[in-house]
Amino acid sequence: MKKALIINEGFSNNLGDQAIRESMTSLLRDSDFSTEFAYFTNPRLARLPEYDYLAAAATGNVIAPMSFSSRVRLKLAFYYWIGINYNAIRKKLSEGEYDVIVIGGGQLIESSGKDYPSRFSIALYWWTYLIKKFSQAKIYIIGVGVGTTFNAKEKSLFAKALSRVDLMWVRDQFSKIRLQEQFGHKAIVTPDIAFYSGKNRMEEANPNRKALIGITNYKEVFSKYNKLAKSSEAYYEEWYAEINNYLREGLTVELFYTTITDAAETIAFRDYIRSKYNVEIPVAKLASIEDLKQLYKSASDVYSGRMHALILAMKHQCKVKAYLISQKLKSFNEEYISSGTQTIEYSKKIRGTFNDLMIDNIKL
């Protein structure tokens, strides 16, 4: 049996990242690979932690304040990252005789938005460098998204990393264009890997009339994606208007989240509604990707600013609407939500692309 190493953010607290890891593992195993996994930006972490989303949100243990030493590390991040992760990467690569190493999916070709390089650019540079040094495996980057702009250091790191890659596919046309414009690198376009369903199994729709509302962390929306920030109150009012739309249509409403930072925002948003309007909206209790899947089985509609929350909802036959906070979501909305295509067709396309890739029959 062929052997593959999957590298992505699948051990993070983002349930979307965990869904990517699950789908990627299914895709490789359905294609007769045995698989191992490595955490892209934190290779020392060997297993998925037990995240307590609501507890972390309630205690405020969401983002640790940046210490002086952390600020120094940002300036030396390129060397600091490999200094703490070299042994874990070397051990993983030396112990496994891999036929292929798959990096992705997720928005891995992304900028920090600052003058220092993103952790993704640093991680991709060192992973590809060490793979070429310690392994004979081919490197495939598949199912990734590409950001809009990059600083000079990120351009250099990504360009060098991509020069070591044997083949790449991206998840939307915008990413394909930006990859060519920013790095002169070609790629094919195939749906996001999270669309993949093992053995092309399709979830059944349910008769419930229930909307799930997944508010995105306020600071992330306006520090990372949008320069012209609105007040947190204006932001909450915008989301509350969506809730009222669903209520007027006769749906029940429940709040949910897919990251710890979003869980914290969900609690704050619930309290805002309770205080200002004397309206009580329940909050889902989620601790795993399985919990999220069960929640979707109870819903008919999902409104979210997280792409993978929307993808999983689509796989469960929910009607979805995106809060368009970024180019990534705009591209996703245009190419996938608006198309009306069944998710099972995306799954089949992913499997077909991967099968073609394995026989080296891809034409860029």
Side-chain angles (χ1 to χ4, degrees):
M1 180 177 283
K2 294 170 291 186
K3 190 175 182 181
L5 174 63
I6 298 168
I7 304 171
N8 59 42
E9 291 291 277
F11 283 168
S12 81
N13 70 70
N14 188 325
L15 293 174
D17 288 334
Q18 294 176 34
I20 289 171
R21 177 173 62 89
E22 184 178 84
S23 291
M24 186 70 79
T25 301
S26 294
L27 175 63
L28 270 293
R29 291 181 178 175
D30 288 349
S31 300
D32 298 322
F33 280 85
S34 64
T35 65
E36 292 186 13
F37 178 78
Y39 190 172
F40 182 55
T41 55
N42 188 6
R44 293 166 295 155
L45 191 62
R47 60 180 57 85
L48 179 67
E50 293 184 4
Y51 294 110
D52 192 333
Y53 293 83
L54 290 180
T59 60
N61 185 24
V62 179
I63 301 176
M66 186 180 294
S67 65
F68 174 76
S69 60
S70 295
R71 295 190 184 97
V72 172
R73 288 173 193 162
L74 290 177
K75 297 182 180 298
L76 303 174
F78 178 74
Y79 300 104
Y80 177 79
W81 191 90
I82 192 59
I84 63 173
N85 291 308
Y86 177 85
N87 288 338
I89 295 175
R90 174 71 186 275
K91 184 174 185 290
K92 177 65 74 173
L93 295 175
S94 298
E95 289 180 351
E97 295 182 0
Y98 304 108
D99 296 285
V100 61
I101 294 178
V102 177
I103 302 174
Q107 188 83 354
L108 299 187
I109 315 298
E110 183 62 285
S111 174
S112 67
K114 309 294 183 182
D115 59 355
Y116 50 82
S118 69
R119 60 194 177 119
F120 291 151
S121 65
I122 294 170
L124 190 63
Y125 176 91
W126 283 118
W127 269 111
T128 55
Y129 174 82
L130 294 176
I131 290 168
K132 289 299 183 183
K133 186 173 183 178
F134 297 119
S135 174
Q136 299 299 313
K138 287 190 174 183
I139 305 174
Y140 297 131
I141 296 182
I142 65 178
V144 298
V146 179
T148 305
T149 59
F150 302 87
N151 62 46
K153 187 62 176 177
E154 289 166 342
K155 285 186 177 181
S156 176
L157 292 175
F158 277 130
K160 290 174 182 177
L162 293 173
S163 71
R164 304 177 185 126
V165 173
D166 294 287
L167 194 141
M168 183 169 181
W169 89 48
V170 293
R171 64 191 182 191
D172 54 67
Q173 287 291 339
F174 177 83
S175 292
K176 179 179 180 177
I177 294 169
R178 295 306 291 167
L179 192 71
Q180 178 68 49
E181 291 177 345
Q182 294 286 327
F183 307 107
H185 200 86
K186 294 182 179 180
I188 59 172
V189 179
T190 298
D192 190 284
I193 197 70
F195 276 117
Y196 184 73
S197 300
K199 303 298 183 182
N200 290 328
R201 181 172 56 86
M202 193 170 182
E203 298 290 344
E204 294 182 2
N206 69 75
N208 298 335
R209 287 180 51 77
K210 175 181 175 181
L212 300 175
I213 307 295
I215 189 169
T216 310
N217 178 257
Y218 170 79
K219 289 184 178 179
E220 184 173 348
V221 171
F222 294 107
S223 67
K224 186 174 182 180
Y225 298 114
N226 301 286
K227 293 182 180 179
L228 298 176
K230 60 185 70 175
S231 68
S232 59
E233 182 174 0
Y235 182 61
Y236 284 172
E237 288 295 327
E238 189 174 13
W239 283 86
Y240 185 57
E242 290 293 336
I243 288 177
N244 280 325
N245 288 337
Y246 287 115
L247 291 174
R248 281 193 292 270
E249 293 175 9
L251 281 72
T252 59
V253 173
E254 187 171 4
L255 305 178
F256 81 110
Y257 45 86
T258 58
T259 73
I260 287 177
T261 54
D262 285 0
E265 201 69 65
T266 298
I267 297 301
F269 179 51
R270 179 203 63 188
D271 293 347
Y272 173 85
I273 296 171
R274 177 190 288 163
S275 174
K276 184 169 183 178
Y277 296 105
N278 196 30
V279 172
E280 189 70 34
I281 305 294
V283 175
K285 295 182 180 180
L286 303 172
S288 68
I289 192 68
E290 292 303 320
D291 289 345
L292 183 60
K293 291 177 184 178
Q294 290 300 315
L295 181 65
Y296 285 144
K297 289 179 180 179
S298 72
S300 59
D301 294 71
V302 174
Y303 182 68
S304 174
R306 296 289 183 184
M307 190 178 77
H308 290 99
L310 296 168
I311 290 175
L312 291 179
M314 291 169 71
K315 289 172 70 174
H316 283 81
Q317 305 297 307
C318 296
K319 179 181 177 182
V320 303
K321 182 180 178 182
Y323 181 75
L324 301 176
I325 61 175
S326 65
Q327 180 59 52
K328 174 178 70 175
L329 274 164
K330 291 174 183 176
S331 297
F332 176 74
N333 187 60
E334 292 171 3
E335 294 182 38
Y336 297 105
I337 295 177
S338 299
S339 74
T341 304
Q342 291 287 326
T343 58
I344 194 69
E345 298 304 316
Y346 296 139
S347 183
K348 290 177 180 177
K349 186 173 182 179
I350 291 167
R351 180 68 182 275
T353 300
F354 189 78
N355 288 344
D356 288 344
L357 183 155
M358 286 296 102
I359 61 174
D360 296 322
N361 194 34
I362 293 291
K363 293 182 180 180
L364 298 181

